[in-house]
Structure formats: C-alpha cells, structure tokens
Amino acid sequence: MAESAEGLGTIPEHERILQEIESTDTACVGPTLRSVYDDQPNAHKKFMEKLDACIRNHDKEIEKMCNFHHQGFVDAITELLKVRTDAEKLKVQVTDTNRRFQDAGKEVIVQTEDIIRCRIQQRNITTVVEKLQLCLPVLEMYSKLKEQMSAKRYYSALKTMEQLENVYFPRVSQYRFCQLMIENLPKLRENIKEISMSDLKDFLESIRKHSDKIGETAMKQAHQQKTFSVALQKQNNIKFGKNMRINNDRILEERNEIVLKHALEEEDENEEEVLTVQDLVDFSPVYRCLHIHSVLGSEETFENYYRKQRKKQARLVLQPQSNMHETVDGYRRYFTQIVGFFVVEDHILHVTQGLVTRAYTDELWNMALSKIIAVLRAHSSYCTDPDLVLELKNLIVIFADTLQGYGFPVNRLFDLLFEIRDQYNETLLKKWAGVFRDIFEEDNYSPIPVVSEEEYKIVISKFPFQDPDLEKQSFPKKFPMSQSVPHIYIQVKEFIYASLKFSESLHRSSTEIDDMLRKSTNLLLTRTLNSCLLNLIRKPHIGLTELVQIIINTTHLEQACKYLEDFITNITNISQETVHTTRLYGLSTFKDARHAAEGEIYTKLNQKIDEFVQLADYDWTMSEPDGRASGYLMDLINFLRSIFQVFTHLPGKVAQTACMSACQHLSTSLMQMLLDSELKQISMGAVQQFNLDVIQCEYLLFEDGSYCLVRKLQVSRIFSLFLPLHKGIALTIVKERHI
C-alpha cells in the first residue's frame, strides 16, 4: 500500500517535468532532467516509462494529423506538377526579358554612375566650401596678424592673437595647419615682447640724450611765465599806488611798462614756438610696451624694469661734472638734465596708469633732492665770483619754480639758497674789498675842488653832502672830503643793489628782505670797509696829511649812513620805525677807523719829531752860543706849524690832543738829549744855546696869533710841558758852575 501511494505521488511530478521539457528552451533542459535523478531511487525508471507513454501519445496524434492532411498534400503535389510546364515557360520568358532589360539599362547605368560621381563631387565641393568658409576667417586673421607684425603694430597683433585663440582656433582645431599656428603664437608673443623691450631701451636712451633739451624748454617756459607774472604784478602795483616814494613813481612806472612790454612781446614771439614734452619726445614706445605687457600679463615685470632703469638714469643725471663750478653753463646743463628727467616722469605719471605712482616719484625726487643739495653745496663752495654765484642762484630759482609747477616740493632748495646767500655775501665782500682798495689807492687825499655849479651838482648827486656855508661860498671852492668818499658811497649802494639781486625771487617778505639787506650792509661796513680803512691807515706811505683827510672822510661817511638807511627803506618799503628793523653800524665802524687814524697820527708825528731831533748836532763844548736857534729846530718848528695848520680841519679835541702829544714828545726828547748818559761834559755856552732852542720852541711855535689851536688850547698848558726841561737846564747850569 505504501509503495502504491508513493507511485501515485511521483506520477504528477513526472508530468510536470515533461511539461517543462516541452515548453522550455533546450538550453534549460539540463536542470530539469537533473531533478529526475535527485528523486527516489526508482524515479528514473518510472520517468522513462512515463516518457515512452508520452512519446506514443504524440506519435498517435501525428499520425492522426498526417492522415487528416494527406489528401490535401497529394492534391497540392498534383497541382504543382501541372504548373511545372508553365513555370519553365515563364522562366524562359523572364530570362529573356531580364536579358533585354540588362542590355537596355547598360547606358542608363553608365549615366547613373556619372550622375552619382557628379553628385559625390558636388557634395565634396560643398563640404570643401563649407570647411574653407570655416577656415578662411582664421587664415584672414592670421594674415592680418602677420601684417600687424610687419607694420610693428604689436598691441593690435596681441589682440588679434587673443581673438584667434578664443574665437577662431576652436572652430578649426582639428586641422594640422591650426596646430602649427597655435604652436607659433607663443613664439610671436615672445618676439613681440623682445621687440617692445628693445624699443623701450631705445626710448630710454633717447630721453637720456634729450633730457637737457626737455629741461631747457621747461625751464624757459617757466621763466617766461614768471617774468610775465612779475611784470604784470608790478604794473598793477603802480596802478593802485603801492609805491611809497612819489618822486620815483614815474621812473618806476616807465621802467615797469618797458618790462611788461618786453615780456608781452617775448610772449607773443614764443607763442607759436611753445613746445611740450610730447613735441620733444615720442612716448609711443612706452605706451606700446606697457599695453603689450598688460596683454601678456607681465605688467608688474615691466613696471619693475622701467623703474629700475630710470633709477639708474637718475643716478647718472645727478652725477655732476668735476668742473661744473667753473662756468654757469655747467650748472645750467646739470639743472636742465634733472628737469628733463622729472618732466618725463611727471608725464608718464599722468598719462599711464600704474607704470609710475606718486609715491614712486616722491621717493625718487627726495633721493634726487638730497643729492642735488649735496652737489650744489659742494660745488658752490668753490665759486669765488659773485656774478657766477648770482647766476647760480637764478638757475636754482628757475629750477625750483619749474619743478614746483610740476608738483614737486622744493622748500629745501630755497633753504639751500639761504646758505648760498651767505656765500654770495662773502664773495661780494671780497669783491668790494678789492673795489675799496682800488678807490683808496686812486684817491689823492685832498679836498674835492669844484670850479662851477655843474661840478658842484655832480658831486652832490653822488654824495648827500649838506653845508650851507659851503653853498654860500663863491667858486672855486672845495668840499672837505676827498674823492674817495662819494666813490665809496656809490659802491655801498651798488653793494646793496647786488645783495638785493640775490634776495629777489626767493619768495620772502619785504621785512625779511629788508633785514637781509641791512645785515649784509652792516657786514660790508663793519668788516670789509673797516678792514680796508685800517689796512690803509697802517700803510707806511700814508702820511700825516693823508691820515687827517682819512679822519675827515670817515666823519662824512658816518653822517651818510642815515641816507643809506633811507635808501634801503625806499627799496623794501619797510619803515625804519619798525621794531625789528636792523640799524646800520656806521657809527662804530667809522669811529674805530678814526681812533686808529688818530693813533697813527700821534705815532707818525712823534716819529717825525724824532727824525728832526736826530739831526741835532750840538757842540757841548762851545764857549759862546750862536745867538739864534739851531737849524734842525727851526725846521722842526716850521714842520709842526704846517702840520698844526692841517689839524685845523680835524675835530677840536683830536687836534688839541695831537698838539699836546707833539709838544710833550718834543719836550721829552730834548730832555733825554740833555740827560744822555754818554754826555760827560757840557759847557755854559752849550747850555745857553740849548736854552735858547727851548725858548724858541715855546714862542716861535705859537707866535702866529691867527692859529686857532692857540686860542683853543690854554697856552699855560703848552708852556707847562716845557717846564721840566727848564728845570733840567737850570740843574745843568748849577752843576757846571759847581764844577
């Protein structure tokens, strides 16, 4: 029972397997068959039995179907056999028709092949045209690039390269010629970079050579503009009545009108010739190089290179020539080169963006300014000609005004001018020392004679002399001073003018200019003129008459100092009553000179007395006196009379002191002669002769009653000077009698 139940269970399973085998693909039969062997041990036998039964069933069904369709198959075969003959006939007809069609279509085939070939060519041509139309703009742009390179339009060439790379090359990148072009572009860029740098080097060399011309033009224009402005300002000052001296208004007005006229004429003449830095220099290489490096992305490299090269050129420009201080042309060339350099830099600053900056130019200017000041301070110290120093000052002022117009600070240059001003004053003092020496050497040291009113006015026009008594005298008459006085006065005024020339255009107030003029004039009086006077007084060939005239001259020069102060006031329009106004030290200057002259008079007078006394030849053993004064003594008395007569022109105290000093020295000399240790013996006749000489000194020296010194001096004081001498003579007489 159990086996039958198991057999009934496997039969449905075998049917399922057979259904799968029939319904599935043959490639999947393997796993299905394997399941047969995986079942119970007798399952394979039972499956085969079931498979055989299934095959038998299918065979029966096939047989039934064949039997069902057999008659139709026989009928179909019979029909085919009937059609066979007709098919053969049809085949023959079709073959013949095909042959005839083949023969007829050969020409059509040939023409069709031609048409196909033409169509292919047309299509190829169309394709080529399309490709050429795509490549043509690239080739045209590349040809344009070559033309731009040939025409040296490098910036446009770089722009064309950018268009080729960004727009045109991507369209034809598959072609070989495009790859060649792409490979050639870096070489072209490098070539452009090298050419632009070469142009820049040529430009830098050109501006280095032409910087002096650029600077000269800029300084000339600045000077013309300033001259015109100053002339116009003076003209306006005259119109509004700003001149304080009415007597000089007409002269100043005419002079300023002439200056303004010349300035306007010069402005008109140069109006057509006004040149700018662009007219003198072609800056296109800089622009091209800057644009090229901007496009190439190396703008910073270019800026560093440009600034480095310009700094090198700045150092070369700032290096002066060794003999620059010898001529003004050396200074002018030095300044024009520096101005040209910074004018170019200022232009580059304003027309380019970033190539140079204000901070860079300020740094470069500060470096240059320190070097310029050091150079000028060193070279100006060698200048001994005041005219050269003045021209140097004018060049520095124009130089400073020019660069100030371009925005560079120049205050340190004007500070330097104050140092040079001191040096200029020193050179002026040296020059005027020579002028004063020449005046003193040419002077005859005698009062100025005038024989007519014209000559009198000429002297008055040169020197401010006022003396009502002299005016009342009839011609011919004499001025008390000598010819050197008006000459010195004129030269002092010339010195003030020369000193004023340096003070012009220094951007200083009238008060400062007034102070500078007064200080420099004081130096002239207290140092130069005083030194010349002292040297003159100490010269051996200057006699007593010349010394007396020198004292008279210094007196009148001292009185003229107030007119010099008025002269300075008229120039600067600064009142003398101002608190800080410096006074002229004429009083102390000429007072020292007079004291030196007075001392020299005393010394020379005593020396002259000694010379006469040395001529004394007493016979100390004579028995009787000659009855008249000795010859040397009469010559001495005559000399003293003439000298004392000259002393009448001196101030009273000076003349009195000189007279007293001479008498005292004479008395002392005679006393020393009498008391000489070598004098061993003296006769009574010699004593009487000596006493007679002393009496002659007392009376003959002052016997001229018109001599003013006698009236001014107390005669008793004169005789008191000879009292010790009388005592000595009396003592000698006593000794002789005792012997």
Side-chain angles (χ1 to χ4, degrees):
M1 292 297 290
E3 293 179 357
S4 62
E6 184 179 357
L8 291 174
T10 58
I11 292 173
E13 180 67 20
H14 291 162
E15 291 179 353
R16 185 185 62 79
I17 292 172
L18 290 174
Q19 288 177 357
E20 288 183 3
I21 292 172
E22 291 177 354
S23 61
T24 59
D25 191 4
T26 56
C28 300
V29 174
T32 304
L33 293 176
R34 190 179 297 113
S35 65
V36 175
Y37 295 94
D38 293 337
D39 293 337
Q40 291 80 9
N42 297 323
H44 176 263
K45 183 179 180 182
K46 293 179 180 180
F47 177 73
M48 294 301 294
E49 292 176 355
K50 188 64 177 176
L51 182 60
D52 291 339
C54 184
I55 292 171
R56 287 192 298 272
N57 289 333
H58 283 297
D59 289 339
K60 289 180 181 180
E61 290 178 357
I62 292 170
E63 185 178 357
K64 288 180 181 181
M65 186 174 290
C66 290
N67 291 331
F68 179 76
H69 292 288
H70 180 266
Q71 187 61 41
F73 178 74
V74 172
D75 294 339
I77 294 299
T78 303
E79 289 292 333
L80 289 172
L81 291 174
K82 291 180 181 179
V83 176
R84 182 176 182 180
T85 305
D86 295 334
E88 290 177 353
K89 293 179 181 180
L90 180 61
K91 180 178 179 182
V92 173
Q93 291 177 355
V94 169
T95 303
D96 184 59
T97 302
N98 182 48
R99 180 181 56 78
R100 285 188 284 109
F101 269 113
Q102 290 293 333
D103 294 339
K106 286 182 179 179
E107 184 177 355
V108 176
I109 290 173
V110 173
Q111 293 179 355
T112 302
E113 289 177 352
D114 292 339
I115 291 173
I116 291 172
R117 187 166 56 252
C118 290
R119 295 282 184 176
I120 292 173
Q121 291 178 352
Q122 184 178 6
R123 184 185 61 191
N124 291 339
I125 291 172
T126 302
T127 302
V128 170
V129 170
E130 291 176 355
K131 297 301 181 183
L132 286 177
Q133 288 178 346
L134 189 63
C135 295
L136 248 156
V138 179
L139 297 174
E140 288 177 353
M141 289 296 290
Y142 197 80
S143 176
K144 181 181 178 181
L145 173 62
K146 290 293 185 180
E147 292 176 358
Q148 290 170 341
M149 290 291 294
S150 300
K152 298 183 178 181
R153 297 166 54 198
Y154 301 117
Y155 179 74
S156 302
L158 290 174
K159 288 297 184 181
T160 303
M161 290 183 194
E162 286 186 353
Q163 291 181 354
L164 285 171
E165 288 178 332
N166 298 329
V167 179
Y168 294 97
F169 282 167
R171 300 175 185 174
V172 293
S173 59
Q174 68 274 20
Y175 300 111
R176 185 168 176 271
F177 78 89
C178 179
Q179 297 300 324
L180 294 176
M181 291 181 181
I182 292 175
E183 293 174 359
N184 195 34
L185 288 187
K187 298 178 182 179
L188 291 177
R189 283 195 175 94
E190 191 64 27
N191 189 23
I192 290 174
K193 188 175 181 180
E194 292 177 357
I195 293 173
S196 65
M197 291 303 292
S198 177
D199 291 343
L200 178 65
K201 292 177 182 178
D202 294 340
F203 166 78
L204 293 175
E205 181 65 20
S206 174
I207 60 175
R208 187 185 70 82
K209 293 180 179 179
H210 295 87
S211 60
D212 54 347
K213 180 64 175 178
I214 299 170
E216 181 181 357
T217 302
M219 291 176 67
K220 183 178 180 182
Q221 292 175 358
H223 179 62
Q224 290 173 353
Q225 183 177 2
K226 184 175 181 179
T227 302
F228 178 77
S229 300
V230 170
L232 188 61
Q233 183 179 4
K234 289 182 178 179
Q235 184 72 8
N236 292 334
N237 290 342
I238 292 173
K239 289 181 179 180
F240 287 100
K242 291 187 177 181
N243 291 306
M244 296 180 63
R245 295 293 176 181
I246 299 176
N247 294 334
N248 294 332
D249 280 350
R250 183 174 300 172
I251 298 174
L252 291 174
E253 183 176 359
E254 292 176 355
R255 183 182 302 170
N256 288 324
E257 285 179 353
I258 294 173
V259 172
L260 180 60
K261 182 178 180 181
H262 289 327
L264 291 172
E265 290 176 354
E266 186 176 357
E267 186 77 14
D268 294 337
E269 290 176 359
N270 296 322
E271 185 174 1
E272 298 179 356
E273 300 178 2
V274 173
L275 299 176
T276 61
V277 66
Q278 297 93 325
D279 299 326
L280 298 173
V281 180
D282 180 17
F283 287 92
S284 56
V286 180
Y287 305 150
R288 284 197 303 267
C289 203
L290 178 61
H291 294 159
I292 287 169
H293 283 78
S294 300
V295 174
L296 294 176
S298 57
E299 185 175 2
E300 184 177 355
T301 302
F302 170 69
E303 291 174 1
N304 293 333
Y305 175 81
Y306 176 84
R307 296 180 183 182
K308 182 179 179 180
Q309 294 300 318
R310 289 297 280 166
K311 284 184 178 180
K312 289 182 179 179
Q313 289 187 345
R315 294 187 183 97
L316 292 176
V317 168
L318 294 172
Q319 190 66 30
Q321 296 181 353
S322 58
N323 61 342
M324 184 179 72
H325 60 277
E326 295 179 357
T327 61
V328 71
D329 292 335
Y331 289 107
R332 183 179 291 108
R333 191 179 304 109
Y334 182 68
F335 286 131
T336 54
Q337 288 179 351
I338 297 174
V339 170
F341 178 88
F342 283 100
V343 167
V344 170
E345 288 304 289
D346 181 77
H347 180 77
I348 293 294
L349 172 66
H350 288 89
V351 300
T352 61
Q353 295 181 353
L355 181 56
V356 296
T357 61
R358 175 56 68 181
Y360 162 78
T361 55
D362 290 344
E363 178 186 359
L364 194 62
W365 168 245
N366 290 330
M367 181 271 292
L369 189 58
S370 299
K371 178 66 175 178
I372 292 168
I373 291 175
V375 168
L376 292 178
R377 186 178 285 124
H379 282 262
S380 63
S381 62
Y382 297 109
C383 296
T384 58
D385 183 8
D387 294 333
L388 180 58
V389 178
L390 183 61
E391 290 181 352
L392 173 60
K393 168 258 175 181
N394 293 331
L395 283 176
I396 294 176
V397 170
I398 298 174
F399 173 75
D401 290 341
T402 303
L403 290 177
Q404 189 176 30
Y406 286 93
F408 295 99
V410 294
N411 291 333
R412 292 174 61 188
L413 285 175
F414 285 102
D415 294 337
L416 173 65
L417 283 175
F418 280 93
E419 299 179 19
I420 298 178
R421 181 200 64 188
D422 296 336
Q423 180 185 348
Y424 174 72
N425 286 336
E426 289 297 326
T427 57
L428 283 181
L429 292 175
K430 291 180 181 178
K431 178 180 179 180
W432 257 258
V435 172
F436 289 149
R437 284 194 296 268
D438 294 339
I439 291 175
F440 290 142
E441 290 179 1
E442 295 173 0
D443 194 10
N444 56 8
Y445 297 99
S446 59
I448 303 174
V450 290
V451 297
S452 63
E453 184 71 24
E454 290 75 11
E455 293 181 2
Y456 182 85
K457 290 182 179 179
I458 290 174
V459 176
I460 294 299
S461 64
K462 293 179 180 179
F463 183 76
F465 179 80
Q466 295 179 356
D467 187 355
D469 296 334
L470 183 63
E471 292 179 1
K472 295 176 182 179
Q473 294 178 13
S474 60
F475 293 100
K477 51 188 175 181
K478 295 181 179 180
F479 286 92
M481 65 280 188
S482 66
Q483 197 66 249
S484 62
V485 172
H487 290 167
I488 290 175
Y489 182 79
I490 292 173
Q491 288 302 321
V492 172
K493 292 173 66 176
E494 290 296 328
F495 176 86
I496 295 173
Y497 275 127
S499 182
L500 177 65
K501 289 180 181 178
F502 196 93
S503 302
E504 293 176 347
S505 305
L506 291 185
H507 307 295
R508 297 293 173 177
S509 64
S510 299
T511 303
E512 292 175 311
I513 294 176
D514 181 85
D515 186 64
M516 287 188 290
L517 290 179
R518 293 179 184 273
K519 287 181 178 179
S520 59
T521 306
N522 277 329
L523 283 176
L524 178 71
L525 296 176
T526 58
R527 197 170 76 184
T528 304
L529 182 56
N530 188 36
S531 176
C532 291
L533 283 171
L534 294 178
N535 291 334
L536 174 67
I537 291 169
R538 297 189 183 100
K539 285 185 177 181
H541 69 275
I542 298 297
L544 293 170
T545 305
E546 287 81 0
L547 290 172
V548 171
Q549 187 62 53
I550 289 173
I551 293 176
I552 296 172
N553 290 347
T554 55
T555 303
H556 290 285
L557 287 173
E558 179 183 338
Q559 295 172 356
C561 284
K562 63 178 182 179
Y563 297 101
L564 291 176
E565 290 187 343
D566 295 338
F567 178 72
I568 296 175
T569 300
N570 292 337
I571 293 176
T572 61
N573 290 333
I574 300 299
S575 175
Q576 299 181 30
E577 283 72 22
T578 306
V579 177
H580 302 289
T581 300
T582 305
R583 300 294 179 183
L584 296 184
Y585 302 144
L587 179 62
S588 60
T589 299
F590 299 115
K591 185 177 180 180
D592 294 340
R594 279 198 301 274
H595 287 168
E598 292 169 7
E600 197 69 20
I601 286 175
Y602 304 150
T603 302
K604 287 184 179 294
L605 187 57
N606 292 340
Q607 290 175 354
K608 200 67 176 177
I609 291 174
D610 290 339
E611 292 176 3
F612 280 103
V613 172
Q614 288 176 2
L615 297 177
D617 187 16
Y618 284 104
D619 183 7
W620 299 108
T621 61
M622 65 171 56
S623 58
E624 294 293 336
D626 294 338
R628 63 179 182 278
S630 301
Y632 84 91
L633 190 63
M634 295 304 298
D635 293 338
L636 175 59
I637 291 173
N638 292 332
F639 168 75
L640 291 177
R641 282 180 176 177
S642 62
I643 290 299
F644 290 165
Q645 186 65 34
V646 174
F647 285 173
T648 58
H649 301 290
L650 291 175
K653 187 176 180 180
V654 176
Q656 295 173 17
T657 304
C659 182
M660 293 290 294
S661 174
C663 293
Q664 185 175 6
H665 185 73
L666 177 58
S667 175
T668 303
S669 299
L670 292 175
M671 178 64 76
Q672 290 177 354
M673 185 186 303
L674 186 64
L675 300 178
D676 190 2
S677 59
E678 295 181 358
L679 184 59
K680 303 299 183 180
Q681 184 178 1
I682 184 171
S683 65
M684 185 59 66
V687 173
Q688 292 175 354
Q689 180 64 40
F690 191 81
N691 186 48
L692 178 62
D693 289 343
V694 174
I695 294 173
Q696 289 296 319
C697 288
E698 292 176 338
Y699 288 100
L700 293 179
L701 187 59
F702 301 103
E703 69 179 358
D704 187 359
S706 63
Y707 181 46
C708 62
L709 289 180
V710 177
R711 295 194 298 269
K712 293 180 181 179
L713 291 173
Q714 295 179 4
V715 179
S716 60
R717 292 179 60 193
I718 298 296
F719 284 101
S720 66
L721 296 176
F722 292 94
L723 185 58
L725 187 56
H726 285 292
K727 291 181 179 180
I729 294 172
L731 182 61
T732 303
I733 293 173
V734 171
K735 287 182 179 180
E736 286 296 325
R737 287 180 177 177
H738 179 71
I739 293 172

